[in-house]
Amino acid sequence: MIFASSQLQGQITFHKLFSGNSYDYGYGLSQTEDSSYLIAGASSSFENAPSQALLMKTDSLGNFKWSKIYGGQGSEEFRRVKYIENYCIYLAGFSTSQSSGSFDNYLVKTTVDGSVEWEITFGGSNWDRIVDMTVLPDSSIFLVGSTFSFGNGAEDWGLYRYDKDGNEIWSSYFGSSYDDQVRSCAYYEGFIYAGGAVYNTDSLLDKGTMVQLDLNGNIIWTSELELQNNTIIEDFIIGNDNKIRGTGSAYTQYDVSSEVLFFRMNLSGGIESSFNENKNGELHGVSMVSSLDSSLVYNLHTGRNTVNSGLFEDGFYDSFIIGFNDGFAYDNFAFNFSKTKDDFIYDMIMSKDGGAVMVGDQKFFDESGAQLALIKIGPNRETTLPDYSFLDNIVTVIEESISSVNVYPNPTNGTLKVSVLPENSTIEIVDNRGKILVSFNNENKIDIGHLPSGIYWLYIKTENTMQRTKLVKF
């Protein structure tokens, strides 16, 4: 079921939405050697728990291939996914299943098809949540996250390195005695880098901060952005020109009055440029990617402005992408892929064909759920807008048109009967916008006489799978 895609002379673009008629979120993104995509996120569409950690795979055109869920009876989220060719998938986020109500760091290693090799949770008695990770040359991983359990008090940076078998190599904590937040990390030529914000007791401001560490966790240098407002680094990239470029927010109040932050520094931590856009309302720099030679930079913005402030006057959060050159000069490209209500994009990567791919969530249909969004622009900045007419299912589907179940009569003008119903099943009648119209548990006789004439989908859900067939009402 293709939601919206375009392929013109090899330039692939698409804008897809996936959901299981509940809340489904995409937070992290990786591409495999065959140009397929792996998406890390969270879903409440599988009905096993309040929210389960999600791994979904699509092909190179963004078409759904499979999805799997992980975790226990609590709430889980994956924030990042990293793929090692022909070896494994790493997934990282947080979980409440093994704690007494607090969050623990959650780390999973799977085979390339998503089968679990090992999974661990770690942390203290308070909140600990992984937000980013990067793979090191020996296939170990470096992770960063928020910790209230350890450090200097309040919220601090948690910095962790784990080997490929799930054993801790080292962990350390960084920050002031006030709230400090880490957002992103990267590896480059023998060193590890992390970015976020640390409270400065002299200026009484949050300062956007970069840190360089060696592979043993020793801090080599720290560097603070010197701007007049509070600042936080949300994301950064390191180019082949040995420059660190990044984005984030400069703000007086983060969720009310905020501007997009840009900076560039060298690998010794020396700041070469830092500034913020002067816009009214609330704007944040969320994610940044660049071409290999750093000549093209894409920056992902999210914003929400009040009426008469100049942008996004519907009052909802919207996301858009802007093109720059390596000096952050506007490069005549901006594209807003939001529609109505809240739209959030959380991660962006450069695709193998030179385009950019983004993942997040959008709310198109009603307030009762969120749809995982996967969006790609082409290498020559080709874009595609969805037609919003159909929703791809995020739950792995048995593509047999319910061959083991007899649904009759079909077409029908009233009552449906279902034979050989699997144990503990839920039957749903869904329209072409993904809205559930009728739902029954363990019932084999369904009255749809009240529905208008048209084409619907009948779903039979069990704990881990879903079967479907097209249904005609006349």
Side-chain angles (χ1 to χ4, degrees), residues 16-34:
K16 305 274 188 168
L17 296 180
F18 303 86
S19 188
N21 304 307
S22 191
Y23 289 89
D24 302 289
Y25 304 96
Y27 295 120
L29 185 62
S30 188
Q31 192 172 23
T32 67
E33 68 273 10
D34 65 353

Side-chain angles (χ1 to χ4, degrees), residues 24-77:
D24 302 289
Y25 304 96
Y27 295 120
L29 185 62
S30 188
Q31 192 172 23
T32 67
E33 68 273 10
D34 65 353
S35 296
S36 298
Y37 296 99
L38 296 168
I39 296 97
S43 174
S44 57
S45 290
F46 291 79
E47 302 178 357
N48 295 43
S51 173
Q52 291 193 293
L54 171 73
L55 172 63
M56 187 177 81
K57 186 174 184 179
T58 74
D59 64 17
S60 62
L61 300 176
N63 299 312
F64 179 88
K65 295 186 73 173
W66 52 258
S67 62
K68 297 188 178 184
I69 52 173
Y70 305 80
Q73 294 303 308
S75 295
E76 278 84 23
E77 291 185 4

Side-chain angles (χ1 to χ4, degrees), residues 194-207:
V198 174
Y199 186 76
N200 185 296
T201 55
D202 293 329
S203 65
L204 305 181
L205 294 172
D206 294 324
K207 291 288 188 179

Side-chain angles (χ1 to χ4, degrees), residues 168-179:
E168 180 184 306
I169 299 175
W170 53 260
S171 61
S172 63
Y173 306 95
F174 176 74
S176 69
S177 58
Y178 297 85
D179 283 337

Side-chain angles (χ1 to χ4, degrees), residues 292-352:
L292 289 177
D293 62 0
S294 301
S295 61
L296 171 65
V297 176
Y298 285 125
N299 207 64
L300 188 64
H301 293 25
T302 291
R304 178 185 63 174
N305 289 60
T306 56
V307 175
N308 299 323
S309 64
L311 293 170
F312 312 131
E313 294 185 354
D314 61 4
F316 293 102
Y317 284 99
D318 291 323
S319 295
F320 60 103
I321 186 172
I322 296 181
F324 298 91
N325 65 23
D326 58 359
F328 294 129
Y330 177 61
D331 198 25
N332 296 312
F333 175 74
F335 182 65
N336 182 352
F337 36 74
S338 296
K339 183 64 174 176
T340 60
K341 303 183 181 178
D342 288 331
D343 305 296
F344 294 98
I345 304 298
Y346 299 101
D347 195 21
M348 175 170 57
I349 62 172
M350 291 294 287
S351 56
K352 293 181 181 297

Side-chain angles (χ1 to χ4, degrees), residues 245-256:
R245 294 174 175 84
T247 189
S249 303
Y251 58 94
T252 53
Q253 186 175 343
Y254 185 83
D255 57 355
V256 175

Side-chain angles (χ1 to χ4, degrees), residues 106-409:
Y106 185 36
L107 178 60
V108 180
K109 180 184 179 182
T110 78
T111 61
V112 294
D113 64 357
S115 300
V116 174
E117 290 193 1
W118 52 257
E119 58 182 333
I120 58 172
T121 57
F122 57 98
S125 60
N126 213 320
W127 284 24
D128 301 278
R129 297 179 291 181
I130 296 298
V131 297
D132 199 10
M133 69 172 166
T134 188
V135 177
L136 304 181
D138 63 352
S139 297
S140 65
I141 44 177
F142 174 68
L143 308 105
V144 298
S146 165
T147 178
F148 286 86
S149 299
F150 307 101
N152 298 315
E155 182 180 5
D156 284 302
W157 296 24
L159 311 171
Y160 316 94
R161 184 180 177 189
Y162 277 75
D163 69 18
K164 61 184 179 181
D165 297 315
N167 302 307
E168 180 184 306
I169 299 175
W170 53 260
S171 61
S172 63
Y173 306 95
F174 176 74
S176 69
S177 58
Y178 297 85
D179 283 337
D180 309 298
Q181 302 171 39
V182 63
R183 289 288 201 262
S184 54
C185 63
Y187 168 82
Y188 186 73
E189 295 189 348
F191 293 96
I192 300 168
Y193 299 83
V198 174
Y199 186 76
N200 185 296
T201 55
D202 293 329
S203 65
L204 305 181
L205 294 172
D206 294 324
K207 291 288 188 179
T209 302
M210 286 291 302
V211 175
Q212 185 195 59
L213 307 95
D214 65 22
L215 294 181
N216 294 316
N218 301 306
I219 293 178
I220 308 302
W221 54 254
T222 64
S223 181
E224 288 186 348
L225 301 181
E226 296 296 336
L227 295 173
Q228 298 302 310
N229 295 325
N230 296 293
T231 53
I232 183 169
I233 295 169
E234 298 283 357
D235 194 24
F236 64 91
I237 52 178
I238 305 175
N240 290 341
D241 58 356
N242 292 328
K243 302 296 182 183
I244 303 171
R245 294 174 175 84
T247 189
S249 303
Y251 58 94
T252 53
Q253 186 175 343
Y254 185 83
D255 57 355
V256 175
S257 179
S258 179
E259 299 170 346
V260 176
L261 164 73
F262 296 92
F263 73 91
R264 185 179 70 241
M265 65 174 59
N266 58 43
L267 295 182
S268 298
I271 299 172
E272 299 179 347
S273 174
S274 63
F275 63 95
N276 49 277
E277 288 185 327
N278 294 315
K279 302 285 187 182
N280 294 322
E282 181 189 354
L283 287 171
H284 306 282
V286 176
S287 186
M288 179 178 285
V289 296
S290 73
S291 57
L292 289 177
D293 62 0
S294 301
S295 61
L296 171 65
V297 176
Y298 285 125
N299 207 64
L300 188 64
H301 293 25
T302 291
R304 178 185 63 174
N305 289 60
T306 56
V307 175
N308 299 323
S309 64
L311 293 170
F312 312 131
E313 294 185 354
D314 61 4
F316 293 102
Y317 284 99
D318 291 323
S319 295
F320 60 103
I321 186 172
I322 296 181
F324 298 91
N325 65 23
D326 58 359
F328 294 129
Y330 177 61
D331 198 25
N332 296 312
F333 175 74
F335 182 65
N336 182 352
F337 36 74
S338 296
K339 183 64 174 176
T340 60
K341 303 183 181 178
D342 288 331
D343 305 296
F344 294 98
I345 304 298
Y346 299 101
D347 195 21
M348 175 170 57
I349 62 172
M350 291 294 287
S351 56
K352 293 181 181 297
D353 66 356
V357 189
M358 295 144 278
V359 69
D361 64 85
Q362 299 182 284
K363 294 181 179 178
F364 282 98
F365 301 117
D366 53 47
E367 296 295 339
S368 63
Q371 296 84 47
L372 187 154
L374 181 65
I375 303 165
K376 183 180 185 297
I377 63 174
N380 296 316
R381 299 177 173 180
E382 304 88 351
T383 60
T384 296
L385 285 172
D387 61 12
Y388 315 117
S389 63
F390 198 77
L391 196 60
D392 220 344
N393 204 292
I394 202 168
V395 182
T396 294
V397 175
I398 300 174
E399 297 284 2
E400 298 177 351
S401 298
I402 317 187
S403 60
S404 62
V405 180
N406 187 15
V407 179
Y408 62 96

